[in-house]
C-alpha cells in the first residue's frame, strides 16, 4: 500500500461531527482555557516530586469530571515519585483499543532568561508570537478568543497542551452527543523530560490494563509548514556530560595567565575536535549502525513540503549546520548538540579569573540502528583519543598530579530510537482520520527529530506507537518563552476527536 | 648599582621600632580586626555607587580617628560615583613625599559559588585555608588570634587589606611614640576593579595635592614562596567580549539538531583557533611589540626562588599551559585568558536546546611595549580571518540573512603596562626598607603578573610607582572564597611602617 494514499481527502472537515466538536469548543472556550491556565500554573519540572504529584491530581480531577472511568495513578515498582495518570472509556461493540499518551512534566526553567513580563508558571496571553511583535493582553472573559493568540508558560506546548487536548476531545464528543468508535485509554506520563527512567516499570506492572492495538502519542510540534503531521518514529536520546579541570582553586588571570591551564580553552579544543567545518561529527564510527530508510520512507520524505528556505529566514541564519542537507534529511541521522557550555561568568558576572573547570552537556540523538550506550562509548573513546584521562567522578590529588588532561564524563541512561512501519493497516487508519479533519495535505514523517522513549512500549508491551503532534512549530519548547498558539490547541482537540471516532 | 644590593640585611627586624609596631598590633588586635571585619561587611562591587560611597565614608572616618589630616574625597570631573579617599601627614623636616595607594572596590561576586558557610559580605574566620582543611571558627574576643587564621570575604585581600594595613601602620607608629621620616599621603581608589576609567581625571584635578617622590602601591600577593616582594611593574589589561549567533530563537535539539547552527560549537572552534597545543597564542603578531627585559631585570629573574614545582603540586596540575616556561618568565609575556564562557545551562539548568548565542570574555594582559588597543585589534583581525562578520552590537535581520558567522565583539577601555627601573636611588631605598623588616630574602620582580593602571601616574603626574604587596598568594583574589591570612595582614602593617620611616 502506497503511503501516497493518505492524500485522499475524507473531508470530515465538512461533516456534522466536526462542526459539533468545533461548536463545543466555541461555546466553552473560556472554561476550557481557564482550566488549561490553572493547569499551567502548577510548576511541573521533572523531578520536583511534590509539584509533579499536584499536577497528577489536577489531571485526575479533570478526567473524573468528564466521566472518564477507572481514573487512577499508575506507579513504578521502585519509586512513588513519578506516577502516570490513567483513565479509560469502554465503548460497547468496539473492536479496537487506542491509548492516548501525553506527558505532564516539563523541562527545567531559568526564569531570568524569559522575556519581560513572562514567568514560567504564571501563564500570560499574547496577541501573537512575541518574536513577531505580539504583546501581552488580558485573557478575555466574555468575548471570544482570537485563535492567533498564544499562551506563554512552561509546558504550554510540551506537553500539557497534549493532556488537555486529549481529555477535551473526549469531552467534546460526549457533550455533543457523539460517540467514540474505539475503546479509549488515557495515559499521561510524569517523567518524560528527565528520560522516562521508570516508565518500563509502569508498563510491566500494568500490562493487562494497558493492552491496546495502538498508542497515539501526542508530543512535539506539527510540521513547520503549518500542516498537520503523522509521525511514525522518534529519535533516541542520550547525554554525555563532560567536565575538564585546571587548577584546584580559581586563580587571578594576571598572576597566572599563560602558565596555569585554562579549562574553557581545553574544553573548547576538545569540543571543536568533535565536528568538522561542514557540521559532520568527526567522532570515529558516529554514523555507523544506522539502518537505511525503506523505499516507503524515502518516498514520504520526497513529499514533505520543503521548509528549509522559510525556516532559515524565520530563524535568522543563511546556512544550515550540515552543509548540503535538508532539515527532513538531517533528522534521519544521529546528531551531537552542545546543550550547554559553562565556565566562569560572562557579562556582569565576569571576573579576571582562570577558572577551575569547564563543563559541557552533550545531547546525542539516535536513529534506528543506533544503540545509545554504544553511541556514548564512541564519544568517550574520542575524548581519550584527544589525550584525556577519563573518569566518572572528581579527580583525586594523585590523578591531578599525574594527568595534564582529565575529563569527568557522566552518562545519562538514555534510550534508543523507535519506528512503526507506515504501511500497516492501523497506520493507514490513523492517517485517514487525521486527514479527515483538514482539506490540506497531512505530512507523513518516517521519524521526528525529537525523542520519546517509545521503544519501551514495543519492548515491554509489544505495542505499536504513532505520533500525532499538535503544537505550533515555533513554540520554544524546552527553552525560555515556551508557548502554544490557540489555533493549534483547538485543532488538536478536533484531531483527537477524529481519532476517537476512527473505525 | 646591582639589584643584588637588596640582599644586604638591615635587620630592622631586631630593632626597637619593629618590636614596638608589633606590640601595638598584639595589644590592639581585637579592635584592629573588628574594624577590618566591619569594613569587609560593606558590599563594594565596583560600580555599585551607593555602597562604594559607604566604603569611602568608612575609610574617611577611620583615617580621621587616627589624626590623619586633610581627609577628603577626590572626585573625577565627569562623575561623582567613584571618589578616591585622600588624607595626609606632613612630617616636619621631611624631604621626601610618599603616597600610599590601595583600592577599596572589589570584583563581582557569584555567592552561590562560595563554599558552604561563606558569603561574600559576611566575613568569617577560619582556622586555616579551607583548601588545606581549615574550618570556620568564632572570632576570639579576648584570647589572641592565631596568625594562621584567615578571614574570608570579598576584598579581604584585594584590596581592603591594603587600605587597613596602611592606615594601621601609621597608627602603630604614632601610638608607639615613633615618627615617620617622610611626608605621607594616602590615596584609596574606588574603581580599580572595573578598569580605573576615571582615575586620570582625579590625578588631573588634584595634581598639586598629589605631588610626590613615589607612589607605593599595595595590591596583589607576596611571592608564592611566602617571601615578601617588591614589584617594579604591572601588566596592562584589556578585555574582548565575543558573542556568536545561531537561530534567533532557542530550538529543540531533537527537531533541529544537525541542521541549526550551534553557537557553542562555533565559539569553541573560534577560541580553539587562538592557541596551539603548547599554550602559545596563535593570533598573528600577538607577541610583537614586546620590549625585551634589561640585564638588571634578567638578573633579578634568576634570583626569584623557583616555585613552579611547589605551585603545580599545590594547585593540582602537572603541566603548565605554556610548555617549557617558568611562571616568572610567563608573566613577562602578553597573555590571553578565557575569563568566562557561557551558552545554555549545565547541571540542573541543562535543557535539550540549541542555544541562540554563545559568549566568551577574553582577558588580555599586556607587557611593556604593548599598546592595548593594538592588542585588541589583533584579536578582531583573527576573528575576521576565521570567516566572521564582526560588529559591535546585536545583528540585524538583514545581517543574519547574509552572514553565516557573525560575532559581536565589544572592547573594554583597558590600559597599558608600566615599569619603574629597579636601579633608581628611590627604588633602592624601598628595597632596603622592606628588607629591613625580615631576615629572609626579599624577592624583586621586574613586573607582576597582575595589572593596575599605573601608567596613568606616569602619564598625568610624571610620577614613579613601586608595588609592595602583602596578601598571601593563595588568597582566591577575584574569585569565590577570597581570603587573607592574618600573618600577612600583620606583616603588611610592619612593612608599611618601615616604609613610612624610610630616610
Amino acid at each position: 500500500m502506497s503511503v501516497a494514499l493518505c492524500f485522499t481527502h475524507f473531508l470530515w472537515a465538512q461533516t456534522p461531527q466536526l462542526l459539533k466538536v468545533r461548536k463545543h469548543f466555541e461555546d466553552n472556550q473560556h472554561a476550557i482555557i481557564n482550566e488549561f491556565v490553572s493547569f499551567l500554573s502548577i510548576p511541573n519540572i521533572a523531578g520536583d516530586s511534590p509539584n509533579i504529584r499536584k499536577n497528577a491530581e489536577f489531571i485526575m480531577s479533570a478526567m473524573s469530571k468528564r466521566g472518564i472511568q477507572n481514573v487512577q495513578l499508575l506507579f513504578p515498582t521502585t519509586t512513588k515519585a513519578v506516577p502516570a495518570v490513567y483513565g479509560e472509556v469502554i465503548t460497547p461493540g468496539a473492536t479496537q483499543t487506542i491509548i492516548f499518551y501525553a506527558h505532564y512534566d516539563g523541562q527545567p526553567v531559568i526564569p531570568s532568561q524569559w522575556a519581560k513580563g513572562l514567568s514560567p508558571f504564571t501563564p500570560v496571553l499574547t496577541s501573537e508570537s512575541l518574536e513577531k511583535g505580539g504583546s501581552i493582553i488580558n485573557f478575555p472573559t466574555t468575548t471570544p478568543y482570537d485563535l492567533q493568540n498564544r499562551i506563554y508558560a512552561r509546558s504550554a506546548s510540551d506537553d500539557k497542551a497534549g493532556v488537555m487536548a486529549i481529555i477535551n476531545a473526549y469531552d467534546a464528543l460526549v457533550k455533543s452527543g457523539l460517540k467514540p468508535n474505539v475503546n479509549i485509554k488515557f495515559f499521561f506520563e510524569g517523567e518524560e523530560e528527565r528520560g522516562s527512567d521508570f516508565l518500563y516499570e509502569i508498563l510491566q506492572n500494568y500490562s493487562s490494563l494497558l493492552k491496546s492495538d495502538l498508542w497515539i502519542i501526542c508530543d512535539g510540534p506539527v510540521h513547520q509548514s503549518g500542516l498537520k503531521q503523522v509521525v511514525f518514529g522518534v529519535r533516541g536520546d542520550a547525554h554525555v556530560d563532560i567536565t575538564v579541570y585546571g587548577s584546584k582553586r580559581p586563580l587571578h588571570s594576571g598572576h597566572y595567565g599563560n602558565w596555569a591551564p585554562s579549562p574553557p580553552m581545553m574544553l573548547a579544543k576538545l569540543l571543536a575536535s568533535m565536528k568538522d567545518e561542514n557540521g559532520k561529527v568527526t567522532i570515529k564510527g558516529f554514523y555507523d549502525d544506522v539502518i537505511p530508510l525503506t523505499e516507503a520512507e524515502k518516498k514520504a520524505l520526497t513529499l514533505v513540503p520543503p521548509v528549509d528556505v522559510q525556516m532559515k529566514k524565520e530563524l535568522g541564519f543563511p546556512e544550515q549546520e550540515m552543509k548540503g542537507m535538508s532539515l527532513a534529511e538531517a533528522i534521519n541521522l544521529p546528531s551531537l548538540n552542545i546543550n550547554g557550555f559553562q565556565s566562569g561568568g560572562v557579562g556582569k558576572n565576569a571576573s579576571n579569573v582562570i577558572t577551575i573547570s569547564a563543563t559541557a552537556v552533550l545531547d546525542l540523538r539516535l536513529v534506528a540502528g543506533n544503540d545509545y550506550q554504544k553511541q556514548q562509548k564512541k564519544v568517550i573513546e574520542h575524548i581519550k583519543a584527544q589525550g584525556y584521562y577519563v573518569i566518572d567522578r572528581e579527580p583525586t590529588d594523585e590523578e591531578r598530579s599525574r594527568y595534564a588532561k582529565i575529563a569527568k564524563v557522566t552518562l545519562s541512561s538514555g534510550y534508543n530510537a523507535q519506528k512503526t512501519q507506515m504501511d500497516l493497516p492501523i497506520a493507514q487508519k490513523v492517517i485517514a482520520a487525521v486527514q479527515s479533519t483538514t482539506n490540506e495535505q497531512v505530512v507523513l514523517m518516517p521519524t521526528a527529530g525529537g525523542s520519546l522513549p517509545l521503544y519501551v512500549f514495543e519492548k515491554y508491551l509489544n505495542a505499536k506507537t504513532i505520533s500525532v503532534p499538535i503544537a505550533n512549530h515555533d513554540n520554544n519548547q524546552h527553552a525560555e518563552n515556551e508557548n502554544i498558539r490557540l489555533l493549534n490547541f483547538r485543532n488538536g482537540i478536533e484531531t483527537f476527536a477524529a481519532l476517537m471516532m476512527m473505525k
Side-chain angles (χ1 to χ4, degrees), chain A:
Chain A
M1 186 182 298
S2 161
V3 293
L5 255 189
C6 61
F7 296 121
T8 311
H9 291 183
F10 286 80
L11 300 182
W12 196 70
Q14 297 170 2
T15 63
Q17 287 91 329
L18 176 66
L19 295 179
K20 283 184 184 175
V21 170
R22 183 164 293 180
K23 183 164 190 312
H24 176 264
F25 179 84
E26 283 165 1
D27 292 349
N28 297 279
Q29 56 185 287
H30 298 97
I32 290 170
I33 291 174
N34 284 349
E35 183 189 40
F36 188 16
V37 166
S38 301
F39 188 30
L40 293 172
S41 303
I42 311 171
N44 70 333
I45 297 170
D48 172 7
S49 309
N51 277 315
I52 284 295
R53 180 60 72 93
K54 280 184 201 159
N55 280 278
E57 283 162 3
F58 186 97
I59 299 168
M60 290 172 78
S61 157
M63 290 167 78
S64 297
K65 258 196 313 211
R66 285 163 171 86
I68 294 167
Q69 303 293 309
N70 202 12
V71 172
Q72 61 182 292
L73 297 181
L74 308 187
F75 289 99
T77 312
T78 52
T79 174
K80 292 277 168 203
V82 287
V85 182
Y86 175 85
E88 63 187 30
V89 173
I90 303 303
T91 302
T95 57
Q96 291 192 309
T97 299
I98 310 289
I99 305 188
F100 288 85
Y101 165 103
H103 66 87
Y104 63 88
D105 62 315
Q107 281 274 322
V109 292
I110 306 175
S112 61
Q113 296 183 349
W114 287 55
K116 190 162 180 295
L118 303 190
S119 173
F121 300 112
T122 309
V124 299
L125 191 70
T126 69
S127 53
E128 164 57 294
S129 157
L130 290 179
E131 282 93 347
K132 291 182 184 154
S135 56
I136 297 173
I137 57 176
N138 289 329
F139 286 92
T141 50
T142 52
T143 54
Y145 278 87
D146 176 345
L147 294 179
Q148 295 304 323
N149 290 172
R150 297 185 182 212
I151 298 174
Y152 279 76
R154 171 57 84 232
S155 294
S157 55
D158 179 22
D159 189 24
K160 287 184 171 179
V163 175
M164 282 288 129
I166 289 167
I167 64 175
N168 280 307
Y170 174 70
D171 209 29
L173 290 190
V174 173
K175 299 279 170 57
S176 309
L178 300 169
K179 285 203 168 59
N181 289 321
V182 294
N183 296 317
I184 303 169
K185 295 181 176 176
F186 301 85
F187 185 97
F188 302 125
E189 194 192 349
E191 53 147 358
E192 195 274 332
E193 296 295 3
R194 54 169 211 177
S196 301
D197 288 345
F198 301 99
L199 178 58
Y200 80 98
E201 291 186 357
I202 298 179
L203 302 189
Q204 282 182 317
N205 291 350
Y206 302 92
S207 57
S208 323
L209 195 64
L210 297 174
K211 280 216 167 75
S212 75
D213 295 281
L214 180 70
W215 288 64
I216 297 276
I217 307 296
C218 177
D219 199 6
V222 299
H223 192 251
Q224 292 92 346
S225 59
L227 299 176
K228 293 189 175 186
Q229 68 179 349
V230 180
V231 186
F232 296 85
V234 286
R235 290 205 278 190
D237 195 18
H239 293 86
V240 178
D241 287 28
I242 307 170
T243 298
V244 303
Y245 298 87
S247 164
K248 278 160 69 176
R249 63 165 198 267
L251 295 172
H252 188 293
S253 60
H255 298 134
Y256 296 95
N258 270 355
W259 185 77
S262 164
M265 180 58 83
M266 292 165 71
L267 189 56
K269 282 191 174 290
L270 178 57
L271 295 174
S273 75
M274 293 184 183
K275 276 193 183 175
D276 68 17
E277 288 295 334
N278 295 317
K280 194 170 173 231
V281 177
T282 50
I283 292 170
K284 198 176 163 191
F286 195 80
Y287 299 105
D288 293 354
D289 314 321
V290 174
I291 296 173
L293 297 179
T294 65
E295 287 309 310
E297 289 170 337
K298 282 185 195 165
K299 177 147 190 209
L301 278 185
T302 65
L303 296 173
V304 174
V307 293
D308 289 52
V309 171
Q310 163 216 329
M311 288 302 297
K312 286 184 200 166
K313 181 157 187 290
E314 178 181 324
L315 299 174
F317 53 83
E319 216 171 84
Q320 68 273 41
E321 188 182 40
M322 287 194 93
K323 304 292 179 282
M325 196 163 283
S326 73
L327 175 55
E329 289 165 340
I331 60 174
N332 281 285
L333 285 176
S335 70
L336 179 153
N337 180 60
I338 304 171
N339 283 357
F341 184 134
Q342 177 148 35
S343 185
V346 300
K348 70 181 173 53
N349 288 326
S351 294
N352 284 329
V353 75
I354 303 173
T355 60
I356 58 174
S357 63
T359 298
V361 176
L362 302 187
D363 176 43
L364 305 180
R365 299 286 167 163
L366 314 153
V367 299
N370 286 139
D371 174 77
Y372 82 87
Q373 287 173 315
K374 195 171 167 194
Q375 206 74 349
Q376 287 172 321
K377 198 157 183 298
K378 291 173 194 169
V379 178
I380 292 180
E381 291 307 314
H382 179 86
I383 297 171
K384 287 181 179 167
Q386 311 308 306
Y388 277 87
Y389 173 69
V390 174
I391 49 181
D392 62 359
R393 47 166 176 75
E394 293 294 299
T396 64
D397 283 357
E398 199 276 323
E399 287 166 332
R400 283 176 174 277
S401 71
R402 187 185 301 193
Y403 302 103
K405 291 165 126 184
I406 300 178
K408 178 176 80 174
V409 178
T410 52
L411 305 176
S412 71
S413 55
Y415 52 80
N416 294 342
Q418 191 275 345
K419 256 190 206 173
T420 293
Q421 290 308 312
M422 293 184 165
D423 46 12
L424 296 179
I426 199 161
Q428 291 295 314
K429 284 188 189 179
V430 167
I431 295 169
V434 178
Q435 186 64 68
S436 76
T437 66
T438 173
N439 292 325
E440 297 178 308
Q441 174 194 351
V442 171
V443 177
L444 307 183
M445 293 290 268
T447 185
S451 302
L452 280 171
L454 299 189
Y455 79 97
V456 296
F457 297 103
E458 191 165 332
K459 181 170 176 187
Y460 293 94
L461 297 178
N462 197 27
K464 301 284 174 217
T465 52
I466 292 176
S467 294
V468 182
I470 64 168
N472 39 296
H473 76 281
D474 56 349
N475 63 34
N476 289 350
Q477 186 180 0
H478 286 205
E480 57 272 23
N481 306 339
E482 181 175 351
N483 67 85
I484 183 89
R485 187 175 64 150
L486 294 185
L487 181 61
N488 286 74
F489 181 59
R490 191 212 61 182
N491 287 349
I493 294 172
E494 295 175 7
T495 301
F496 293 122
L499 287 163
M500 289 171 186
M501 296 192 70
M502 182 172 104
K503 278 185 185 154

